[in-house]
Amino acid sequence: MEEVTQINGTGISEAEIGAYWLEEDYIYPSEEFVRKAYIQNQPFLNKFKEENFPECFHEYANLLSWDRYWTTTLDSSNPPFWRWFVGGKLNACYNCVDRHLDKYKNKAAIIWVSESVDEPDRILTYQELYVKVNEFASLLLEMGLKAGDTVTFHLPMVPELPISMLACARLGIIHSEVFGGFSGQACGERIADSKSKILITIDGYYRSGKFIDHKANADIAVATAEKLGQKVEKVLIWTRHPGTYSSKTPLVEGRDLLLDDLMKKHRGKRVDYVPMPSESILFLMYTSGSTGKPKGCAHSTGGYLSYVAGTSKFIHDIHPEDVHWCMADIGWITGHSYIVYGPLANAATSVMYEGVPLYPNVNRVWRIAERLGVSILHTAPTAIRMLMRAGSNPTQYKCDFRLLVTVGEPIEPEVWRWYYKVVGKKGAVVLDTWWQTETGGWLCTTIPSVMPMKPGSAGPGALGIYPVIYDELGNEVLPGSGKAGNLCIKNPWPGRMLTIWGDPERLVKQYYEKYCKNRDSKDWRDWPYFSGDAATMAKDGYIRVLGRVDDVINVAGHRLGTKEIESAALTCEEVAEAAVVPKSDELRGHVPDLYVSLKSGYETDNKHLEDKIKQAISSIIGPIARPANVYVVSDMPKTRSGKIMRRILAAISNNREDYGDITTLVNPDVVEEIRNIVRGE
Ligand code: ATP
Ligand code: MG
């Protein structure tokens, strides 16, 4: 046991405070990691220097097989609608499946793990994936679907999801997967937005041991879409237990078709892939909806696939012998990019898990990782906090991770350290990757073999990405100044969405209007990308994301990042999660209001704890950041992708009812509960 000296009676040890600030210290990758990595030296990084832009991205595009090579690397004639590798043609399915058959026919492409511990894994080799994708593509073709049509999926984590995606990609059909956990209504709204005539779904799936009747959602989705003016002609239904329809919801005659029956005719069929123009749309993906109405991001075939193939190889460092497990859901961009397209383009083995991390017990994740020999684990701070909170113990298992990825929210240094020390046993590299649905792939991250880690900071710009921080007036906030500002990217990159589906003006307005230097200019240098996140940049170029720009709290003229305050709250051992929001204050403009949930086994009704947390924040950041109130709640309002929706808490703190769009909220019941706590009811 380390000896603990308490500071100012806060209950926080000196060691902990020291460790908190450790985030400005570097932690280096192990020699073993470096020896094996793809990127070994500076000359490779030099290829991505600003003077080599945009041709540097040939390094990524050349990882793919093109049916026709491109003639223009970057067409910037219509800013900010950049087009990459113009003139080129390729097929995403061919690149993720067919071309690996020569060498990797027998290799596992996808290992699917059921939520039930009793059900065997389903392992699809590249050959089996090829066969299934072709058969399904043959059916899509028979249904009259063709390149450029859109099809919506409402599928959970089953192998039929990547099979359906790749079958669409084979034919140039645009797929739009709606996260399986979304309601029928949310799915229907996205069907209407994407103008799909076909919905692909499943009878049901398992969640925390229960069979969820998912087909019921399809009926609601179709009705919702129709109300919004979009007729769904056919609903294609996979079955969770092939051969048996397990839903209690009846089939609608003439509309609903069971794929078990339909597929029989297509057994053994092969379908030629369709070479698609580089700038054709591969898929639509809606953002999480943390800050408002979700945006339908349209991603391109050539640019997107190059970008995820390149980042998966050179940054993710996925080797053919790695077993890669990204715990995200394929219903989010992380799953599209880093379960399906990036890893498969690199002939990797990608693990898919059907269920929740804590089922049937807190150590399920480590059992799976140990059994499959997972070498790269990829998850989000929300999942790591959930495991920590539940008392999960990876050290009891023979897990041997080489790389641990975190994505989706800023990771508090406390949580980072648990991931690094306890999960990675100080041997694995932690990669904190900052990006967005809109960006297709990672934008800020370290290159694990050649750059040290810094807990709580994503790295500098990824290869070929040049971040910059601007203040409100568009002046550059210099690296190392310690000042926060708006995180922007100076240059275009191949992974950025082509457009917002059905609303191209929103792309200009939301991401470019703020810092565009000259709207008539065709020079990309005049069109920096505004991410909407607040961040600081250290002298070494490392980015620390502090939260959303709109979430930054201005107390008497001091701009405080939500993440700074929340990280400080997390130094109290009782605290599992923390979220801070601005509360209007006559005197100071705003004051911070803090919401916390506790680890299991701690009393929620504890005045002493509130004081301790306030005190911790005062001593770590300064009295200016001291919360006006600390509310202990049972859970935070979260999006279905696991992010805390601070705007709801802000509305409650300020006694407003305007929560905005809450259809993406996973736990609506908690809103009422929190409101009662705040009102003291
Ligand atoms: P919406 O755009 O609809 O409000 P959203 O921004 O939550 O929803 P996503 O595209 O899923 O939708 O999330 C991207 C956001 O997640 C980023 O803008 C950033 O705020 C946060 N984020 C992602 N990765 C990181 C990271 N490594 N560190 C800090 N924040 C991150
Ligand atoms: Mg966003």
Side-chain angles (χ1 to χ4, degrees):
M1 261 288 281
E2 278 174 56
E3 205 178 314
V4 176
T5 327
Q6 296 212 342
I7 291 189
N8 302 339
T10 57
I12 302 172
S13 69
E14 229 170 83
E16 277 172 320
I17 299 264
Y20 179 80
W21 290 112
L22 249 187
E23 69 204 72
E24 288 305 325
D25 279 353
Y26 292 129
I27 299 177
Y28 289 85
S30 66
E31 265 173 41
E32 198 189 334
F33 182 89
V34 174
R35 207 175 314 121
K36 206 178 156 203
Y38 281 122
I39 297 189
Q40 289 287 337
N41 50 38
Q42 196 60 33
F44 184 83
L45 298 189
N46 289 345
K47 291 184 184 177
F48 289 87
K49 280 197 165 159
E50 243 167 304
E51 64 255 31
N52 298 327
F53 180 87
E55 282 73 22
C56 56
F57 285 113
H58 291 183
E59 291 290 332
Y60 283 10
N62 281 329
L63 296 173
L64 304 179
S65 305
W66 294 76
D67 291 278
R68 196 170 75 200
Y69 215 61
W70 61 92
T71 46
T72 308
T73 303
L74 168 63
D75 173 356
S76 53
S77 57
N78 181 25
F81 298 93
W82 324 116
R83 300 191 310 155
W84 284 86
F85 312 124
V86 180
K89 282 194 163 183
L90 77 168
N91 183 276
C93 175
Y94 176 83
N95 272 283
C96 291
V97 187
D98 302 41
R99 67 173 179 147
H100 302 318
L101 295 181
D102 269 355
K103 231 169 138 185
Y104 295 115
K105 200 182 242 184
N106 278 327
K107 186 184 165 177
I110 291 171
I111 302 178
W112 174 83
V113 179
S114 163
E115 192 189 69
S116 156
V117 282
D118 299 323
E119 189 177 2
D121 297 339
R122 276 177 69 189
I123 300 175
L124 290 177
T125 62
Y126 274 95
Q127 171 68 16
E128 286 166 319
L129 184 60
Y130 171 75
V131 168
K132 293 211 179 298
V133 165
N134 270 277
E135 290 174 348
F136 192 54
S138 164
L139 179 131
L140 295 174
L141 210 55
E142 186 195 52
M143 301 207 54
L145 288 159
K146 54 180 189 322
D149 290 345
T150 49
V151 168
T152 295
F153 308 159
H154 195 200
L155 289 170
M157 289 289 278
V158 289
E160 284 69 23
L161 173 49
I163 290 169
S164 305
M165 289 163 70
L166 292 163
C168 283
R170 192 167 191 83
L171 301 173
I173 298 165
I174 302 167
H175 59 77
S176 171
E177 153 71 357
V178 176
F179 169 57
F182 266 133
S183 64
Q185 184 183 330
C187 176
E189 286 163 4
R190 287 161 184 74
I191 293 175
D193 190 75
S194 63
K195 307 242 174 317
S196 302
K197 293 188 186 126
I198 307 272
L199 170 65
I200 299 179
T201 187
I202 193 166
D203 54 352
Y205 61 98
Y206 292 92
R207 211 75 194 148
S208 301
K210 277 200 242 71
F211 186 77
I212 310 282
D213 183 351
H214 193 55
K215 164 60 171 61
N217 290 322
D219 293 354
I220 301 169
V222 170
T224 307
E226 285 182 6
K227 255 190 239 147
L228 296 168
Q230 181 61 36
K231 173 137 181 65
V232 177
E233 289 165 4
K234 293 279 180 263
V235 177
L236 307 182
I237 305 166
W238 293 105
T239 45
R240 173 62 178 76
H241 300 284
T244 317
Y245 179 66
S246 311
S247 160
K248 292 205 171 68
T249 313
L251 299 179
V252 175
E253 208 158 317
R255 187 199 72 185
D256 296 354
L257 300 167
L258 281 182
L259 285 165
D260 283 343
D261 303 334
L262 293 186
M263 290 299 288
K264 283 186 191 137
K265 227 177 93 189
H266 296 273
R267 220 163 266 160
K269 288 273 167 62
R270 299 284 189 271
V271 174
D272 289 340
Y273 70 86
V274 181
M276 295 298 293
S278 172
E279 66 274 24
S280 62
I281 299 175
L282 177 60
F283 65 85
L284 306 182
M285 170 57 63
Y286 289 85
T287 57
S288 295
S290 308
T291 55
K293 183 175 183 284
K295 292 145 281 211
C297 303
H299 282 287
S300 71
T301 308
Y304 169 83
L305 198 64
S306 299
Y307 198 71
V308 296
T311 46
S312 290
K313 175 160 182 160
F314 296 121
I315 306 180
H316 217 171
D317 202 51
I318 305 183
H319 292 248
E321 61 275 23
D322 275 313
V323 178
H324 166 253
W325 181 15
C326 172
M327 282 167 57
D329 195 291
I330 298 178
W332 305 114
I333 190 72
T334 302
H336 272 49
S337 299
Y338 298 113
I339 297 179
V340 181
Y341 286 115
L344 297 188
N346 284 291
T349 295
S350 199
V351 176
M352 272 180 82
Y353 172 53
E354 176 184 35
V356 295
L358 296 182
Y359 185 85
N361 58 54
V362 296
N363 289 323
R364 180 72 194 273
V365 170
W366 321 120
R367 275 190 59 188
I368 295 172
E370 176 187 70
R371 187 166 62 77
L372 300 180
V374 171
S375 49
I376 303 182
L377 186 75
H378 193 144
T379 189
T382 181
I384 307 171
R385 287 191 300 254
M386 190 197 292
L387 292 164
M388 283 174 75
R389 177 180 180 168
S392 180
N393 185 2
T395 55
Q396 291 169 354
Y397 295 82
K398 291 186 190 64
C399 297
D400 192 9
F401 300 116
R402 207 162 69 72
L403 194 70
L404 298 170
V405 182
T406 163
V407 62
E409 282 185 294
I411 184 165
E412 299 86 352
E414 287 294 315
V415 181
W416 192 101
R417 275 196 300 276
W418 189 79
Y419 204 29
Y420 177 69
K421 286 188 189 162
V422 184
V423 180
K425 300 172 189 156
K426 296 190 185 172
V429 174
V430 172
L431 213 54
D432 183 351
T433 59
W434 172 82
W435 60 302
Q436 306 176 302
T437 308
E438 298 86 332
T439 72
W442 298 338
L443 290 188
C444 291
T445 162
T446 50
I447 308 293
S449 51
V450 289
M451 293 174 192
M453 305 158 247
K454 220 154 82 167
S457 290
L463 299 170
I465 303 293
Y466 317 117
V468 59
I469 313 272
Y470 288 128
D471 68 14
E472 279 302 306
L473 301 173
N475 302 310
E476 185 172 344
V477 176
L478 292 177
S481 66
K483 287 203 187 111
N486 298 331
L487 176 53
C488 298
I489 307 293
K490 284 193 230 170
N491 60 307
W493 66 96
R496 201 216 62 194
M497 62 175 157
L498 283 168
T499 186
I500 293 185
W501 180 259
D503 195 0
E505 218 8 68
R506 195 169 173 198
L507 175 101
V508 183
K509 264 210 187 103
Q510 186 142 359
Y511 308 93
Y512 291 94
E513 205 160 62
K514 191 169 172 87
Y515 291 120
C516 179
K517 294 171 192 155
N518 173 4
R519 283 199 73 155
D520 297 326
S521 169
K522 305 263 182 246
D523 186 344
W524 56 262
R525 289 169 192 81
D526 289 326
W527 292 83
Y529 173 87
F530 166 55
S531 70
D533 284 338
T536 58
M537 191 191 280
K539 247 203 193 96
D540 54 16
Y542 280 47
I543 299 288
R544 249 184 111 192
V545 179
L546 302 175
R548 314 295 172 130
V549 168
D550 302 339
D551 289 343
V552 168
I553 302 176
N554 202 329
V555 183
H558 299 266
R559 282 160 64 83
L560 303 171
T562 45
K563 218 55 220 176
E564 300 274 3
I565 301 176
E566 292 159 9
S567 295
L570 250 75
T571 60
C572 298
E573 61 167 0
E574 297 88 343
V575 178
E577 287 197 293
V580 70
V581 296
K583 179 182 162 73
S584 300
D585 183 88
E586 261 180 37
L587 219 56
R588 289 178 287 175
H590 288 104
V591 289
D593 251 7
L594 182 73
Y595 293 79
V596 294
S597 68
L598 304 185
K599 290 180 188 153
S600 58
Y602 287 103
E603 272 296 310
T604 52
D605 193 15
N606 182 346
K607 188 80 190 126
H608 169 72
L609 179 62
E610 290 174 22
D611 292 339
K612 175 175 163 183
I613 295 171
K614 284 183 183 174
Q615 190 53 40
I617 292 168
S618 286
S619 24
I620 291 174
I621 303 172
I624 189 86
R626 187 184 174 90
N629 302 291
V630 174
Y631 300 112
V632 180
V633 300
S634 66
D635 201 5
M636 300 288 168
K638 282 192 189 139
T639 63
R640 282 166 205 267
S641 57
K643 299 176 199 225
I644 300 174
M645 268 206 212
R646 290 180 184 73
R647 64 187 155 93
I648 293 184
L649 298 173
I652 295 175
S653 268
N654 292 288
N655 205 11
R656 299 192 319 255
E657 299 281 335
D658 58 328
Y659 301 139
D661 184 345
I662 57 165
T663 54
T664 55
L665 192 65
V666 73
N667 49 356
D669 297 346
V670 87
V671 176
E672 186 65 34
E673 179 203 309
I674 297 174
R675 205 171 41 200
N676 291 342
I677 292 175
V678 172
R679 287 181 182 162
E681 284 166 8

